[in-house]
Amino acid sequence: MTQSSPAPAAAHLRNVSKFYGTFQALREVSLDIPPGKVTCLIGPSGSGKSTLLRCINFLEEYDSGEVRIDDQLIGYETPGGKRWPHGNCEKCDATSAWCSSSSISGRT
């Protein structure tokens, strides 16, 4: 009997951190959400649930870590080992949804 490898996560977060000034809203959050599964985020008010969802959707830029959906890096490209907001690197496809967002385009 052969053992199959596990299916890749539909959403894969590794060490995601987010600061608002000196306040750290997210501290190295890691999470894998399997394909086809419903997942709930629960916690008290101010614990970072909405901030995490906004980072997953790239409505907020996160400061470190990575968010991947179906193994695609969300919001950032890493040409040459540097992390750039999607749309600011020379390899960016200007027709992608991330590049066409006026809130992201043009940032360094």
Side-chain angles (χ1 to χ4, degrees), residues 22-37:
T22 59
F23 176 73
Q24 188 170 14
L26 299 175
R27 186 183 313 251
E28 297 183 3
V29 176
S30 293
L31 173 69
D32 287 321
I33 302 172
K37 297 292 182 182

Side-chain angles (χ1 to χ4, degrees), residues 23 25 41-51:
F23 176 73
L41 295 175
I42 58 173
S45 178
S47 62
K49 302 175 302 290
S50 295
T51 300

